[in-house]
Amino acid sequence: MFLRMLGFVFLVILVLAGWGYANSLADPVLRRITVKMQDWPEGTAPLRVALLSDLHMQGPDMPPERMARIVEQVNAQHPDLILIAGDITGDRGLSTRQYPDAELAAPLARLLAPLGVYAVLGNHDYSRDATKLEAALTAAGVRVLDDEAVKVGVLTLVGMGDGLTGHGNLKHVIDLGKRAKGPAILLVHGPEVAPRLPRTLSVVMGGHTHCGQIMFPGRDQLGLPGNGRFPCGAYVDRGRAVIVTGGLGTSILPLRFGAPPDWWMITLGGR
C-alpha cells in the first residue's frame, strides 16, 4: 500500500513537472495597450513600442533557437521601437546549458525597428561579466543604457541600471527625468522604483517579476518577485503608467503555472 501511494505521488509530480515545462515552452502571449501622454507633440503620429524582458536564455527551455523564433513574432508586428528590460541571460542551477555572450546576442541581432533596439541589464546579467555581455549586445545592434538618456524620435528614453544588484544610480536617473523635455519614459528591470520618479517620466516599462512564474490562486508559491506593488500587467500610479511584462524565460525552475510567457506592444500617443 505504501509503495502504491509513493508511486502515485511520484506520478503526480511527474505529470505536474511535464505540464509546467510545457507551459514554459508555449508561444508567448502578445499583450497590447495604448497609453496617451499629455505632453505628446500635437500632430505627431503614435509610436508602437515592443517590450520584452527576462529572456533568460539558458537550457533547456530557452535556447537561442527558440529566442530566434520569438524574434520573428516580434518583427511580424512591425514595432517602431524595441525595448528589452533586462535578464538576457540566466544563472539557474537547474539548467542544461549556459550560452556564451555571442550566442545570447545572435538572435537579438535580427530584431527590426526603425527607431532601434535598446536594453538595460537585469540582476541575472551580473552573474557573468556584464561588460562582455554588453559588448556582445552592442555588436548585435542592441544599445545598452546604464543610467543614460537618449532621444528616440519624439521620446526621451531613460534607461536605468539594475538597482537590485546595486548598479542603478536612482538620484542620477531622477535628474535625467527632471531634465527631459517632451514625452519621456523609463526602461528599468525592476519596476518598484516607479513611485520615486519625477512626473516627467510618465511611463515606466519593466519586467523582473515573471508574473510570479508559478502561481496558484492568491499566492506565489516559489517566492519569486511577483508579489510587489507592480506584480504584473498595466497600472496607473499617481498619473503614471507602469507596464510590467511577465517575461519570456524562467528562473529557479523551468516551469510556469498560471503565468504564461508574454511580451507587450505599447502604443504611445497623444490625447
Side-chain angles (χ1 to χ4, degrees):
M1 185 65 168
F2 173 76
L3 290 178
R4 185 178 299 175
M5 182 63 69
L6 191 63
F8 176 75
V9 170
F10 178 77
L11 180 61
V12 169
I13 292 173
L14 195 63
V15 169
L16 286 174
W19 181 16
Y21 183 66
N23 290 341
S24 75
L25 296 178
D27 284 344
V29 176
L30 170 55
R31 306 191 190 279
R32 301 178 188 272
I33 192 171
T34 296
V35 178
K36 297 185 180 298
M37 304 177 72
Q38 290 185 343
D39 45 6
W40 195 263
E42 187 175 350
T44 302
L47 288 181
R48 301 175 72 246
V49 181
L51 173 65
L52 320 178
S53 188
D54 298 274
L55 284 52
H56 289 293
M57 277 187 271
Q58 60 195 324
D61 55 312
M62 186 61 83
E65 294 80 10
R66 182 185 173 210
M67 190 64 229
R69 294 193 295 271
I70 294 173
V71 163
E72 292 177 1
Q73 296 170 24
V74 174
N75 288 341
Q77 296 297 319
H78 305 291
D80 299 306
L81 173 66
I82 299 174
L83 303 179
I84 304 173
D87 278 358
I88 312 301
T89 186
D91 55 1
R92 188 178 62 221
L94 291 174
S95 68
T96 57
R97 185 172 176 188
Q98 296 294 329
Y99 296 94
D101 298 320
E103 290 188 44
L104 295 175
L108 304 182
R110 304 180 194 177
L111 287 167
L112 299 174
L115 293 179
V117 183
Y118 294 84
V120 294
L121 298 184
N123 54 305
H124 290 277
D125 295 322
Y126 288 96
S127 65
R128 60 175 65 207
D129 188 331
T131 302
K132 292 181 180 179
L133 175 60
E134 180 175 344
L137 292 170
T138 301
V142 179
R143 180 171 175 183
V144 177
L145 300 178
D146 185 7
D147 298 342
E148 299 172 72
V150 294
K151 200 71 175 177
V152 182
V154 299
L155 284 176
T156 296
L157 169 62
V158 179
M160 183 175 176
D162 178 55
L164 300 166
T165 51
H167 291 88
N169 186 331
L170 179 59
K171 182 178 183 303
H172 181 58
V173 167
I174 289 173
D175 290 341
L176 291 175
K178 288 179 177 178
R179 294 200 298 266
K181 305 296 183 183
I185 66 176
L186 178 76
L187 177 67
V188 63
H189 183 56
E192 294 300 316
V193 70
R196 303 175 66 182
L197 299 171
R199 292 189 178 276
T200 46
L201 291 170
S202 56
V203 181
V204 174
M205 302 183 190
H208 179 60
T209 71
H210 296 212
C211 290
Q213 188 174 308
I214 297 179
M215 293 293 294
F216 294 96
R219 188 176 179 187
D220 171 8
Q221 295 291 326
L222 281 188
L224 289 171
N227 55 0
R229 183 167 182 174
F230 308 107
C232 181
Y235 305 85
V236 177
D237 180 64
R238 289 175 289 185
R240 175 185 291 110
V242 182
I243 301 165
V244 184
T245 170
L248 301 171
T250 59
S251 182
I252 302 180
L253 293 171
L255 308 174
R256 279 185 179 263
F257 287 100
D262 72 17
W263 64 284
W264 287 71
M265 281 293 299
I266 303 159
T267 301
L268 300 177
R271 296 186 178 278

